[in-house]
Amino acid sequence: MSQSDLRIAVYTGSFDPVTLGHLNVIQRCSRLVDQLVVGIGVNLDKQSLFTVDERVQQVCAATSKLDNIEVRTFDGLAVDFVRQAGARVMVRGVRSLSDIEAEFTMSLANRQLDPDIETVFLM
């Protein structure tokens, strides 16, 4: 299967730290796609509990049994990162009604930035 034939999705977040909720979304999504890129956002204006390297190590360790996961860091817009990863699907996890409202607003903004990228929500 060529790279262009792969179903690639991207799941972005700060993962500071990676939680059981994050892992649930990663595990479930990994069964739906050929490759899942976990994008760890780097925001220098935000005070993080863990360094970027520590967060990468934590996500890699927690997902080591899944063979179709790639962990990368990024800065800037998530939609740009999704495009750079060669994906057209952005995965988002939602927990509550307030999450849905915020994520819906974000998905509309992302659609304006790149109408070819779809946002998929996992509850």
Side-chain angles (χ1 to χ4, degrees):
M1 184 179 297
S2 73
Q3 182 71 16
S4 64
D5 293 332
L6 291 176
R7 291 175 302 163
I8 303 170
V10 174
Y11 178 40
T12 62
S14 61
F15 304 100
D16 188 34
V18 63
T19 66
L20 293 176
H22 294 134
L23 294 175
N24 178 270
V25 171
I26 290 169
Q27 290 166 347
R28 290 169 52 213
C29 186
S30 74
R31 294 191 304 258
L32 301 174
V33 299
D34 297 314
Q35 180 182 12
L36 177 62
V37 177
V38 177
I40 299 177
V42 177
N43 183 346
L44 298 177
D45 295 332
K46 206 172 170 182
Q47 180 67 34
S48 297
L49 182 61
F50 294 99
T51 68
V52 175
D53 290 339
E54 289 171 327
R55 290 183 275 157
V56 168
Q57 290 172 358
Q58 289 169 359
V59 174
C60 286
T63 61
S64 64
K65 292 188 182 349
L66 302 172
D67 62 358
N68 63 338
I69 306 296
E70 181 180 349
V71 180
R72 299 185 200 169
T73 61
F74 76 98
D75 59 6
L77 296 175
V79 72
D80 291 337
F81 178 68
V82 172
R83 198 179 309 117
Q84 291 166 2
R88 294 184 317 170
V89 175
M90 179 184 299
V91 176
R92 302 298 299 161
V94 291
R95 300 166 293 200
S96 64
L97 289 176
S98 60
D99 277 356
I100 292 170
E101 184 177 353
E103 291 292 344
F104 178 73
T105 301
M106 185 71 71
S107 71
L108 292 177
N110 287 337
R111 182 172 290 256
Q112 289 291 338
L113 293 169
D114 192 331
D116 293 330
I117 294 176
E118 291 293 337
T119 302
V120 174
F121 297 101
L122 293 178
M123 306 302 259

